[in-house]
Every structure is written in structure tokens, then in C-alpha cells.
Amino acid sequence: MTIYYTSEHEWISVEGDVGTVGITAFAAEKLGDVVFVELPGAGKQVGKGEQLGNIESVKAVSELFAPVAGEVLAANDALQDHPELVNQDPFGEGWLVRLKVAPRAAEGLLDAAGYEKFVAEEGGH
């Protein structure tokens, strides 16, 4: 499984026509303790770069953006009762949404090395 990244600190892994989206460990650390996650319902169409929802931490409220265009298949309902999963396991149980995506939808996004370089050079901003 390959994970792709955005400069907004979201990640997406694509298997077939389903992309699983979350925020990176770097973003989760910068946010601090996540206390609330607002996610779209199934069936919502989103364009690449469009707002997917919000994530609220003890420090701030941040917008979540779609790394690719697609249709929301599912939101991670576990985050309603356990938003701390975003901090504890951002690449596992802390995933945010699953999208139905077009083939090669993640092409052009950053790979792991590119994302690490971006964070180092840009300071994550």
C-alpha cells in the first residue's frame, strides 16, 4: 500500500477505487489533543482541495481538505466518541473518511520522501 501526502498535511492510501484519508502524524502533533471531528456524510461529492470537514483540538479548529476528488463512502464514526484516535493512530484507527476515487487519482501528490522534504523545508506551514 502506498500512501500519498498533501502540503495541507493530509494523507491518502488508495486500494482499487477506494481512498482512505487522514491527517499526518506531523499534523496531529501540531494540533495537540483532538477533541472533536466534523466529517461529511456518505454520498457527498468533493473536489480536490475542497473542504472535507473540521478538526478541533485544544489549540485550534482546522479545516480538513480532500486530497483528491471523489464521493464520500464512509466517515470514521469511531471518532465521534473517540476523537483522540486521530492523535493515537493517525495512519490506522484515526483515519477520517473513505472516498470512491478515479483510477490514478493520487498521481501528482507527494510521496513519503517528498512530504518529509516539504516538512523539513517549509517547517510544515
Side-chain angles (χ1 to χ4, degrees):
M1 172 177 63
T2 303
I3 297 177
Y4 300 92
Y5 303 85
T6 72
S7 59
E8 298 294 330
H9 307 288
E10 282 94 17
W11 60 266
I12 184 169
S13 65
V14 180
E15 293 183 46
D17 63 352
V18 177
T20 301
V21 178
I23 65 168
T24 65
F26 176 85
E29 183 180 319
K30 286 289 186 192
L31 280 171
D33 293 336
V34 173
V35 295
F36 180 74
V37 181
E38 177 184 47
L39 299 171
K44 179 175 175 61
Q45 295 286 334
V46 293
K48 181 177 181 175
E50 287 184 7
Q51 187 174 347
L52 257 181
N54 293 298
I55 189 163
E56 184 177 341
S57 71
V58 294
K59 294 181 181 180
V61 176
S62 300
E63 294 178 338
L64 301 167
F65 299 99
V68 299
E71 177 186 343
V72 176
L73 296 174
N76 186 350
D77 292 335
L79 298 180
Q80 296 304 310
D81 293 328
H82 302 285
E84 69 276 5
L85 290 172
V86 173
N87 297 107
Q88 294 169 357
D89 192 10
F91 292 97
E93 291 185 31
W95 64 274
L96 302 173
V97 296
R98 291 207 165 95
L99 301 173
K100 181 175 177 67
V101 298
R104 298 183 304 282
E107 283 183 358
L109 297 178
L110 298 169
D111 61 11
Y115 179 72
E116 287 177 21
K117 183 177 178 185
F118 169 77
V119 168
E121 290 178 354
E122 303 295 324
H125 301 296

